[in-house]
Amino acid sequence: MKTWTTTAGTATTQASAIAQKAKNMVLNRYASPLTNFLGWFSIGLGLTQLLAPRQTCEAIGVGNHSTLMRTLGLREMSAGAGILMAEKPSYWLWSRVAGDAMDLSLLGVSLKDGGGRDPSRTAWASAAVAGIAALDLYAAVRQMGEERI
């Protein structure tokens, strides 16, 4: 039978190495904390849109457009993965900005055509997307500046 003995110093070093590996798996070392947050936000939102499209449509007050919602979810997840894995995540942040413009356009069409089930929910969803769009734009510009250094 083989026994393992470790000193406190060795155990601490090993724990630190494991923690660093875990951090590298979930955070992009080339990205700011805001950029990493937006990457994980994209993945979470995309999973929600992909796995619960009908409920997502209901939550934002639009008709049941499950196929479109799943497609938007895939777009979100790919942007999030790109942000978390790319050496230059600003390109993927710009894809989020473009996606926000698309989302605002779709929400606007829903409001204009009266195709939504609950216009007040759609208006609130539009305000939330506009807020995220501003944050995405800020993060993209800031990240580009950091990448040029």
Side-chain angles (χ1 to χ4, degrees), residues 46-110:
L47 279 172
T48 302
Q49 292 171 306
L50 188 64
L51 299 175
R54 188 175 46 78
Q55 295 86 342
T56 305
C57 288
E58 186 178 318
I60 62 173
V62 299
N64 185 7
H65 301 284
S66 294
T67 302
L68 175 60
M69 189 59 68
R70 283 188 178 105
T71 303
L72 297 173
L74 289 172
R75 182 202 72 208
E76 283 290 337
M77 290 175 58
S78 66
I83 288 169
L84 294 171
M85 294 187 314
E87 284 188 35
K88 293 191 175 190
S90 64
Y91 297 119
W92 291 97
L93 286 167
W94 284 112
S95 77
R96 278 191 50 83
V97 172
D100 294 335
M102 180 190 301
D103 294 343
L104 286 169
S105 297
L106 291 168
L107 289 165
V109 167
S110 180

Side-chain angles (χ1 to χ4, degrees), residues 58 60-62 111 115-123:
E58 186 178 318
I60 62 173
V62 299
L111 282 171
R117 294 184 179 173
D118 187 343
S120 65
R121 284 187 183 193
T122 306

